[in-house]
Amino acid sequence: MSATAEKTLPEDSEAALFGPEVILPSQFNEPANAKNIDRGERRLMLAVLEEAVATFQRHVDAKGRHGQRVFQEAEEWIQSSDTSWPFAFENICHALDIEPEFLRRGLERWKREQLQVANGARVYRFPFRRVNGRRSSVTLRSQGMRAAS
């Protein structure tokens, strides 16, 4: 066997292979059973829950079929008590230490308030609006005044 074909490990790499691992102070002080939100699975579960709540809120008063269907799917998922799959609402809530019934009641109360607003209560509108044609032009709706910025 030639010298070029034979590979040997230098002594330093053997020491590095069996040497101590470096531990950061934040890793040392952290309890072994602490649940980190940085773990990939928990971050994904949080993203799924956030998207479901955002969809629920975004389409609560949808007029079109697509918006109504998306809202209904989100609402059914939130109201479901199914725990047979990892990304079921209740499993995600338990993994994130959120009480599922508390979140459901809060979303239901929010939905009722939004539907009351949509069915006749006064909707607050921002008093300023842009006027077409000039970017720096702003009008005050209630006073009928025009101010240049």
Side-chain angles (χ1 to χ4, degrees):
M1 198 180 245
S2 68
T4 56
E6 183 179 323
K7 294 195 178 211
T8 59
L9 293 173
E11 292 178 19
D12 293 19
S13 64
E14 289 174 3
L17 196 89
F18 297 108
E21 292 187 22
V22 177
I23 298 176
L24 298 173
S26 61
Q27 293 171 322
F28 183 74
N29 292 331
E30 184 177 281
N33 61 356
K35 293 182 178 178
N36 292 333
I37 196 67
D38 295 335
R39 287 189 38 212
E41 298 86 2
R42 289 175 51 86
R43 290 177 61 193
L44 179 60
M45 287 179 166
L46 179 61
V48 168
L49 183 62
E50 285 177 343
E51 181 60 29
V53 170
T55 300
F56 181 89
Q57 291 180 331
R58 191 178 311 121
H59 298 287
V60 69
D61 61 347
K63 304 294 185 241
R65 285 188 306 176
H66 172 72
Q68 290 173 350
R69 182 177 51 82
V70 170
F71 172 77
Q72 183 179 6
E73 288 175 1
E75 187 175 36
E76 286 174 0
W77 181 76
I78 290 169
Q79 296 300 329
S80 173
S81 60
D82 180 26
T83 57
S84 64
W85 60 296
F87 287 94
F89 176 76
E90 291 201 359
N91 289 341
I92 288 177
C93 287
H94 291 303
L96 298 174
D97 294 327
I98 298 172
E99 181 60 41
E101 280 305 313
F102 179 78
L103 185 55
R104 283 185 184 122
R105 284 191 310 267
L107 288 171
E108 189 60 34
R109 185 177 68 238
W110 181 88
K111 175 184 158 185
R112 275 190 314 244
E113 290 172 2
Q114 295 303 309
L115 293 177
Q116 285 175 353
V117 167
N119 290 334
R122 179 161 161 46
V123 177
Y124 176 77
R125 293 187 176 236
F126 193 66
F128 301 105
R129 68 176 178 88
R130 288 196 180 272
V131 175
N132 290 337
R134 292 181 52 194
R135 295 187 126 203
S136 61
S137 181
V138 176
T139 64
L140 296 170
R141 289 182 185 190
S142 60
Q143 289 85 7
M145 301 171 54
R146 185 177 180 137
S149 353

